[in-house]
Amino acid sequence: MTLVPLVVAVPLLAAAVLAAFGQLAPPRLGNLASIGVALAVTVMCTVLVFESSDHTITYWFGGWEPRHGVAIGISFGVEPLSAGLAALVGALATAALVVSWDYFDGPVPQYFYVLTLIFTGAMVGFVLSSDLFNMFVFFEVMSVAAFALTGYRIEQPSALQGAINFAVVNSIGAFMILTGIALLYGRTGALNLAQIGRSLSGHPPDGLVIVAFTAIVVGFLTKAGAVPFHFWLSDAYAVAPAPVCILFAGVMSDLGLHAVARTYWDAFSGTLGGDAEAIRAVFVGVGILTAVLGAVFAFLQSSLKRMFAFIVISHVGVFLAALGLLTARGLGGTAIYVVADGLAKGAIFCGIADVARRVGHTDELLAHGLGRRCPETGVLVALGALTLAALPPLAFLSSGGWLPALFAATSALTGGAVLRAAGRIFLELGPARDALLVHAPPGEEREVAPAPRAGVLLWGPGVGLLAAALVLGFAPGLAGGAVEHAHEFMGTEGAATTFRPGAGTYAWALGAALGALLVAWLGLYRRRLPRVLRAAADRGVRPGLDRLKLLHDGVVGEYVTWLTVGAALLGGLFAVLIR
């Protein structure tokens, strides 16, 4: 029980100590200390996964427990699904800090470690908080740290622009969340999610509840990067240092989906449960659009970091649709594979950091054949790409029909994009020029001066992350346990049944991996296709792709417009469909 506050207090206190006294110590000491703190957070959160396996741990800070059903104090709710996500945060933070040891040129300022620890502590607090306003506070703390980490190379205009776009769009999302919180507080007089749920339960949803639900969902989907709230994400990932992107790509966006799930089932399911079909249709529809658009854009990028930004967007769509099924199997499957997928993405970003350090940039066309000097990194990236392709379809443990096929196809497209890049960089396959791909702006990809280092501290953590991803993704029995815990998370313990994924589940995974190999071949050698097929594809596909490319132009005013339009459309759908 005492571990619960420590998982947040330890990184935040360590950040304060480093900020106050770090300048008096050798630079490497700050890195070692931050690695130790992140590792401690990982261990403590992993212990909490097992401690909460038979009951949810509720920790009230200061002993301020509810009186007569009224919650005044702040609480953390710890169960295996949330604790597992918190452990993922710690693991990726540890890997990012280890990678940073050998990544940057010269001594690293202490404020980098301070910001990383604050970011880590805020993400863990966000995951475990069961108080809506407390979630908003942690949302803001981790956002401010993320803005600063994105603009770490502030001397470069592209980094400043990416950080500003990130800050503006996410601040509007935060304002939406705060508006929804204010409306709910005015209606229920509560901020605790469980108390809000009890106050709203049994009453039909009116306009205020629908507006509050819309505002909160839009705010969290903005953080997640769901379409059409996603435009900031590629700008931020493209300019953030590769070690920071390990955290960004691995877990930051997924936290928005966790918040949507927690607020819906804890606060809104009692009043919106009768409209589950309408909510399911909206969430699954947005998830499909996000998954498809993200996969297409990922395939069109030559910049590995921008490619991964769109891979994150695509996988967010897959997981949003899985959550949107509003079933325990969808939630339980997503909980496992969000963690496994995050570990795999973190592993690949360790490889990207090694490529950046040895080559000086991470554009697959510019780095054509230059990765031959680091074959171990090529193996890591290739295996990670196949893992990315195979894992996401497994999240749909309860779905049938065409959904698994659609998301297996999008996963094959994203995994194939990474395999194509790996083939170009590490094996010198395919042409060094490709008119189909979107090139990064000049100078955006150049982060550090190339250095002929062994790179073990760069790609080594990725090996551990990838091994953990494979264990979590394919270990028998985990899926059934996750589904049981998902029933508890949803408050439907009586409906829990034993579940084991069948052969069909793994067949979709194998099909997606084979599809990724086919996509990679087409990306490298599509010129070998018959001229008739290539001409038909150019006529039918190229004009649409060219128009889509124009949407992501870095103009923050347009991003805000899309956010506004998306919020209006989502609110309109909820208003029309919820009765």
Side-chain angles (χ1 to χ4, degrees):
M1 184 81 65
T2 55
L3 288 180
V4 176
L6 292 179
V7 294
V8 175
V10 168
L12 294 183
L13 288 174
V17 172
L18 277 179
F21 305 106
Q23 299 300 324
L24 305 177
R28 291 298 190 186
L29 184 60
N31 197 346
L32 279 174
S34 58
I35 291 171
V37 170
L39 186 60
V41 171
T42 307
V43 172
M44 288 188 290
C45 291
T46 303
V47 171
L48 287 176
V49 172
F50 294 99
E51 286 190 353
S52 61
S53 60
D54 56 352
H55 69 286
T56 298
I57 300 173
T58 302
Y59 182 88
W60 292 93
F61 286 85
W64 287 61
E65 298 186 2
R67 297 292 188 271
H68 307 294
V70 177
I72 299 177
I74 295 173
S75 67
F76 276 2
V78 183
E79 28 71 36
L81 304 187
S82 299
L85 193 54
L88 172 65
V89 171
L92 293 177
T94 304
L97 290 165
V98 172
V99 167
S100 68
W101 181 282
D102 207 20
Y103 178 79
F104 293 104
D105 293 318
V108 180
Q110 295 292 343
Y111 63 77
F112 176 82
Y113 307 123
V114 172
L115 289 170
T116 303
L117 291 177
I118 292 173
F119 190 40
T120 301
M123 285 193 289
V124 173
F126 181 81
V127 167
L128 300 181
S129 180
S130 54
D131 178 279
L132 192 53
F133 186 76
N134 205 40
M135 289 177 69
F136 168 77
V137 171
F138 281 121
F139 178 98
E140 285 296 276
V141 173
M142 71 175 177
S143 294
V144 170
F147 303 157
L149 289 169
T150 300
Y152 177 79
R153 298 180 296 145
I154 199 167
E155 70 280 359
Q156 298 190 10
S158 59
L160 183 60
Q161 180 184 8
I164 290 175
N165 290 354
F166 187 178
V168 170
V169 176
N170 277 262
S171 295
I172 295 174
F175 178 76
M176 298 287 289
I177 296 170
L178 189 60
T179 301
I181 292 172
L183 292 174
L184 286 179
Y185 185 72
R187 169 58 58 85
T188 66
L191 295 172
N192 180 269
L193 286 168
Q195 187 177 340
I196 293 172
R198 288 192 297 269
S199 299
L200 296 178
S201 183
H203 301 285
D206 56 15
L208 184 147
V209 172
I210 294 173
V211 170
F213 180 66
T214 301
I216 291 172
V217 167
V218 167
F220 287 137
L221 289 184
T222 300
K223 173 63 71 177
V227 173
F229 316 112
H230 68 288
F231 291 94
W232 64 270
L233 200 144
S234 59
D235 292 339
Y237 282 41
V239 298
V244 174
C245 288
I246 293 173
L247 276 167
F248 281 10
V251 70
M252 183 180 70
S253 294
D254 297 329
L255 297 187
L257 298 183
H258 170 82
V260 170
R262 171 155 268 185
T263 52
Y264 173 75
W265 271 296
D266 285 357
F268 289 101
S269 60
T271 184
L272 297 178
D275 300 284
E277 288 299 325
I279 295 171
R280 180 179 294 113
V282 173
F283 281 171
V284 173
V286 174
I288 290 172
L289 178 62
T290 302
V292 173
L293 190 65
V296 170
F297 269 99
F299 186 77
L300 296 176
Q301 307 302 311
S302 66
S303 162
L304 289 179
K305 290 166 70 176
R306 283 191 179 270
M307 178 191 295
F308 251 86
F310 288 107
I311 289 174
V312 169
I313 291 169
S314 181
H315 288 191
V316 161
V318 174
F319 297 137
L320 176 60
L323 292 174
L325 294 174
L326 304 182
T327 64
R329 288 186 180 181
L331 175 61
T334 303
I336 288 181
Y337 298 113
V338 159
V339 177
D341 184 67
L343 291 168
K345 287 183 290 194
I348 297 177
F349 250 112
C350 292
I352 292 175
D354 192 27
V355 172
R357 189 60 179 148
R358 299 205 193 193
V359 177
H361 50 74
T362 54
D363 186 288
E364 67 172 274
L365 298 178
L366 297 176
H368 187 250
L370 298 181
R372 286 182 173 273
R373 68 191 71 169
C374 45
E376 65 284 342
T377 305
V379 173
L380 173 66
V381 173
L383 290 178
L386 291 173
T387 304
L388 286 182
L391 285 175
L394 295 180
F396 288 86
L397 299 175
S398 64
S399 61
W402 52 273
L403 270 182
L406 175 65
F407 290 113
T410 60
S411 300
L413 193 56
T414 55
V418 181
L419 281 175
R420 180 200 68 205
R424 272 204 175 97
I425 295 172
F426 300 103
L427 298 177
E428 205 171 354
L429 302 178
R433 296 182 180 181
D434 194 331
L436 180 66
L437 300 186
V438 179
H439 299 270
E444 181 182 271
E445 285 293 308
R446 188 167 295 279
E447 295 188 20
V448 290
R453 300 189 179 185
V456 175
L457 291 180
L458 297 175
W459 58 264
V463 174
L465 293 178
L466 185 59
L470 292 172
V471 169
L472 284 175
F474 297 100
L478 284 179
V483 171
E484 292 180 7
H485 292 305
H487 277 293
E488 299 174 6
F489 186 94
M490 297 166 59
T492 57
E493 295 92 337
T497 57
T498 301
F499 172 79
R500 289 184 179 275
T505 304
Y506 296 100
W508 282 119
L510 178 61
L514 294 176
L517 292 171
L518 176 61
V519 168
W521 186 91
L522 290 173
L524 292 169
Y525 300 113
R526 65 181 179 279
R527 294 178 184 177
R528 298 182 181 179
L529 294 174
R531 183 176 299 178
V532 175
L533 290 178
R534 287 188 281 121
D538 284 341
R539 289 193 302 270
V541 177
R542 183 65 69 87
L545 293 180
D546 290 339
R547 292 188 181 92
L548 284 175
K549 291 176 184 178
L550 296 176
L551 293 176
H552 300 81
D553 55 8
V555 179
V556 70
E558 295 181 10
Y559 296 177
V560 172
T561 300
W562 278 109
L563 191 155
T564 305
V565 171
L569 289 175
L570 206 63
L573 286 173
F574 285 138
V576 170
L577 297 176
I578 295 176
R579 302 292 181 181

